[in-house]
Amino acid sequence: MSWLAHFKTTNQVIYLMSFADNLAFIRELQTQVGSRLTVYYLPSATTAADELAETGIAVRPFRDSLGFALTGIPVLTQADIIYCDNYYAFLGGLTRRSAQRIVQLWHADGAVKAFGWEDPQTSQRSQADQRRFQRVYNQFTDYVVGSPKMGQVFAASYHVDVDRMRVLGYPRSDRYRDAQWLDQTRTAIYQAHPEWRDRRIVLYAPTYREGVTFELPADFGQLQLAPDQVLVLKLHPHLQAQTAALIAQYPNLLTTATDFSTDDLLTVTDTLISDYSSVIFDYALLPNCQKMVFYVFDWQNYQQRVGLQLDFEQWAPGPLVRTVTALNQALAQPATPQQLPAFNALWNTHNDGQAGQRTVRYFHQQTKPYQK
């Protein structure tokens, strides 16, 4: 279908959406390209698509199906530019013209976990799978990143040329530099949870663990907090169903806030406990960022099964601890915010609150087409 359609071209701009947290960029894109923009969205982003539709942006649901192959693939093939927030396998089968751009925006600011060819599981996949992976990676003409460091990670992980990296800033990070968004979010949180207003928030936000039930070590109940601290648990969205069980297991230690996202909760967080989650790159941009601690109780197993960036321990902006005893010691230590400038210089180089505007200008106010 793509080959049959590629003889015709349009000036359409397509955004493929699987995550609901890049709406500001999509609206910025609309201000530049107007009605040329259409957002194709997966079921996971239905609510976000409804919000966009209310502002007049054309949205279309899609899923891998014969119907999408017949009606959607021709539209994408003929489009001038396609923005993607994730890996979409069907991209490997598109017949891409030399002047067409397919832009990867990803869904994370930086990388702790290994992915692509750096993921230990990739070598266990079939040759057919591996060829498909590389076909998709090769289709991206541009990778929008917030730092040269992230560009290097993409180039190594996807086996693509580093000259495809566009160090323009990570558009989704703009909100963390937006004083109005910060004030509104904090106000909403404290109105919903007034008991937190005079407390120090310790947010525990572990990463997603595929195919497993998230279980805390048996000694987690020995975690010690200061009297003015409250420990808020926020699991990955795919693990939210397990939150209630953990709250019931540790009712005097854990609480949660189902009415707010992890991004929201970062705005009132004094100390972040994480492990391998990319949330650390977002938190480092906030003015209230004071301390990060990495509770990596399954370090060896996770490193073998999923894989981590080889230099993670060198640039992690906080201690890596494997036991609750060590976690208690780390929490008791004073904050060391002097680590953040070096961390942000490495990973948040161009995440200055203007990344979305800069990205739109780069792709829609230059005339030289991509040639590869």
Side-chain angles (χ1 to χ4, degrees):
M1 289 303 302
S2 182
W3 182 84
L4 290 172
H6 89 282
F7 297 102
K8 180 182 177 182
T9 64
T10 70
N11 65 352
Q12 287 295 105
V13 176
I14 305 296
Y15 188 103
L16 299 177
M17 182 170 66
S18 65
F19 289 86
D21 51 9
N22 209 17
L23 301 190
F25 173 78
I26 296 173
R27 294 187 183 105
E28 181 72 27
L29 190 58
Q30 185 199 31
T31 63
Q32 181 68 34
V33 304
S35 61
R36 294 164 52 202
L37 174 65
T38 300
V39 175
Y40 281 78
Y41 65 94
L42 291 175
S44 58
T46 299
T47 301
D50 291 342
E51 290 184 34
L52 294 175
E54 291 177 358
T55 64
I57 296 176
V59 298
R60 302 283 184 273
F62 84 97
R63 59 184 178 85
D64 291 334
S65 65
L66 180 60
F68 178 62
L70 293 174
T71 62
I73 291 299
V75 175
L76 269 63
T77 300
Q78 297 169 4
D80 179 49
I81 185 169
I82 303 172
Y83 291 94
C84 312
D85 68 1
N86 211 333
Y87 171 97
Y88 296 96
F90 67 82
L91 291 175
L94 287 189
T95 301
R96 179 172 59 80
R97 307 180 314 280
S98 61
Q100 185 183 43
R101 304 184 89 142
I102 302 181
V103 182
Q104 177 59 266
L105 296 175
W106 203 236
H107 52 273
D109 191 353
V112 176
K113 292 177 282 189
F115 60 92
W117 290 105
E118 303 295 308
D119 183 342
Q121 301 299 316
T122 300
S123 62
Q124 307 300 316
R125 300 292 292 268
S126 69
Q127 290 294 315
D129 283 348
Q130 293 181 26
R131 287 193 297 270
R132 183 182 73 250
F133 297 158
Q134 194 59 52
R135 282 199 301 269
V136 175
Y137 304 155
N138 289 342
Q139 288 284 54
F140 297 119
T141 60
D142 306 86
Y143 291 78
V144 175
V145 294
S147 65
K149 173 68 172 177
M150 190 58 181
Q152 294 165 5
V153 171
F154 266 124
S157 301
Y158 280 178
H159 290 180
V160 295
D161 294 336
V162 73
D163 62 6
R164 297 191 183 200
M165 305 302 147
R166 313 292 173 233
V167 188
L168 301 167
Y170 177 53
R172 196 184 69 86
S173 71
D174 287 350
R175 71 175 71 183
Y176 302 111
R177 299 294 196 187
D178 183 345
Q180 182 178 4
W181 178 78
L182 293 176
D183 289 342
Q184 291 175 346
T185 304
R186 289 168 178 156
T187 298
I189 291 173
Y190 287 134
Q191 286 179 344
H193 301 275
E195 70 279 10
W196 293 358
R197 190 176 296 275
D198 297 319
R199 307 289 294 277
R200 288 187 294 149
I201 304 300
V202 179
L203 178 64
Y204 181 27
T207 195
Y208 176 57
R209 288 158 170 78
E210 186 175 3
V212 300
T213 299
F214 181 72
E215 295 181 352
L216 291 167
D219 62 348
F220 186 77
Q222 300 173 21
L223 184 67
Q224 298 173 0
L225 299 173
D228 64 339
Q229 289 181 319
V230 56
L231 180 59
V232 180
L233 173 68
K234 197 65 176 179
L235 296 182
H236 188 280
H238 292 167
L239 299 177
Q240 283 301 327
Q242 301 176 34
T243 299
L246 290 172
I247 297 294
Q249 186 177 0
Y250 302 102
N252 298 321
L253 184 59
L254 292 174
T255 187
T256 192
T258 58
D259 43 350
F260 294 97
S261 68
T262 302
D263 290 346
D264 294 336
L265 294 173
L266 289 176
T267 65
V268 296
T269 295
D270 293 284
T271 298
L272 174 65
I273 303 175
S274 191
D275 43 22
Y276 323 106
S277 173
S278 62
V279 71
I280 64 172
F281 304 101
D282 301 330
Y283 182 52
L285 289 168
L286 293 170
N288 54 287
C289 177
Q290 295 185 21
K291 179 192 288 190
M292 285 186 253
V293 180
F294 296 84
Y295 183 37
V296 291
F297 58 84
D298 58 350
W299 171 269
Q300 185 171 0
N301 179 59
Y302 200 92
Q303 194 171 32
Q304 292 174 348
R305 292 185 64 253
V306 180
L308 299 168
Q309 297 300 318
L310 295 179
D311 57 352
F312 172 44
E313 292 180 87
Q314 299 174 22
W315 49 256
L320 276 64
V321 299
R322 305 189 191 188
T323 67
V324 169
T325 298
L327 178 58
N328 285 333
Q329 293 173 349
L331 292 176
Q333 293 296 317
T336 54
Q338 63 268 23
Q339 292 177 289
L340 291 177
F343 178 73
N344 280 328
L346 182 65
W347 286 103
N348 285 316
T349 315
H350 283 66
N351 295 331
D352 56 2
Q354 305 298 318
Q357 293 181 13
R358 198 158 46 240
T359 300
V360 170
R361 287 198 304 268
Y362 179 86
F363 289 108
H364 299 281
Q365 293 184 12
Q366 62 177 15
T367 58
K368 185 179 179 180
Y370 175 87
Q371 297 289 342
K372 188 70 177 177

